[in-house]
Amino acid sequence: MLLILLGVLLLHLIILILLIVSTAASAWSVGEGRNTDLWYSCLTSKDGYHYRSNELNWIQAVQALMILSVLFCFFSLIAFLFQLFKLVKGGRFFFTAIFQVFASVFVMCAAIIYTVMSPDDSAHTQFGYAYVLAWVAFPLTLISGLIYIILRKKD
Amino acid sequence: MLTVLALASVVLLGIDPSQAIVIYTGWERHALLGSDVRLSCSFFSWRWTSDDVTFSWTYRPDGSKDSISIFHYTGGMAYVDNKGPFRDRLEFVGNPGRRDGSILLKNLDFSDNGTFTCDAKNPPDIVGRPQSSPLRRVPIQAGVITGAIIGVVLGLLVLIVVIYYLMRFLVARRVFSLSVSKHGKKKKEGSQQRQGPAPPADPSKVKAAASEKKKQESRKDKK
């Protein structure tokens, strides 16, 4: 039982780290000398670095969804620790599961919106690792949420 | 990096002075209504910058196939648009000696969506491809939508939690008052906030009793 709990907690922490890195790292689209993330576009030219903040509407929606998914994953972690000590015997980790599932839905929406709307100079830009991390985090978060739904507190 | 490679290729292949001129402009720009936009344009040429260097900017509105000339720099003089949609709104902020032909578009208007194309010529180096720089006017500032979405979702979350606990509290109270009508004073110890139960006989009087209790409580709270 303790092992399962530790495993689930570890998974949760890994997911949280993945989400934070994906939201913050500047690598959703990479091209030659240029990488873009949710917040800024960076261009390396012979003059040096150019920064430009993203003002497109859909990027703002993706920003919001990624931040919300990080927040909800964090809330679910806190709810998990709270319910670990306060839950009655045989109870389910209801709030933890709900928040985790919401986090996974938000990551999925963010990744889908980015995929559909991302700028296509397909010759020069490909998707970067932060984008891949977002897609990896989505099924992990969903599985983690489902585990919490099934998990019951024994003692 | 690019310069190093270019210089290396020059050394290896020998100088070829008839290479084309390469023009650089900014990327797609998004700007707010009323803001000032700097449209940048610079070029790379194998020859020294001559005195006859020229910069030309043309504008093609979105959805239109015709472009109009809006700016021309030649012979050391900058000529800006004085009849078209940009009259009195353009300013030359470039430095031709440093191969910079940027212009400043002031006070962005409703209809300023389109593509600006810069063409630079450095005689005798005139073979080159003009570069385009699209401009889009955005109605909303960066971050407003983000903040709005986050605020709404978190607000809904807080609201749902509050309603959930409120419902639980109210249901407990209603159940409590119903069972009081059946069992008299048995559950008096369960509550710490009531001065005293008012035992109604009918369910029709439950509501009156509940409101009466609320009044008693509020009076007690004010004390």
Side-chain angles (χ1 to χ4, degrees), chain A residues 16-143:
Chain A
L16 190 60
I17 292 176
L18 280 184
L19 284 175
I20 291 178
V21 168
S22 173
T23 308
S26 171
W28 280 68
S29 285
V30 277
E32 29 187 273
R34 154 174 163 174
N35 54 0
T36 313
D37 68 351
L38 302 180
W39 313 100
Y40 284 109
S41 304
C42 302
L43 169 72
T44 318
S45 71
K46 62 185 176 76
D47 297 339
Y49 252 173
H50 293 284
Y51 275 94
R52 183 170 68 95
S53 76
N54 275 319
E55 292 169 26
L56 305 165
N57 296 341
W58 61 268
I59 276 264
Q60 296 192 30
V62 176
Q63 288 172 359
L65 287 170
M66 286 304 293
I67 291 182
L68 281 173
S69 78
V70 170
L71 282 178
F72 272 68
C73 191
F74 185 65
F75 289 158
S76 93
L77 187 66
I78 293 185
F80 178 61
L81 294 174
F82 181 73
Q83 288 192 309
L84 204 58
F85 298 117
K86 290 271 185 166
L87 210 55
V88 296
K89 193 169 179 178
R92 289 181 187 269
F93 292 90
F94 177 63
F95 280 120
T96 312
I98 282 282
F99 283 140
Q100 194 76 320
V101 168
F102 271 135
S104 87
V105 167
F106 288 146
V107 170
M108 180 185 78
C109 288
I112 286 178
I113 293 178
Y114 193 87
T115 311
V116 170
M117 302 286 295
S118 73
D120 326 287
D121 332 315
S122 48
H124 298 284
T125 55
Q126 317 158 339
F127 290 115
Y129 72 86
Y131 172 78
V132 172
L133 282 184
W135 272 118
V136 166
F138 154 60
L140 284 182
T141 322
L142 196 60
I143 291 174

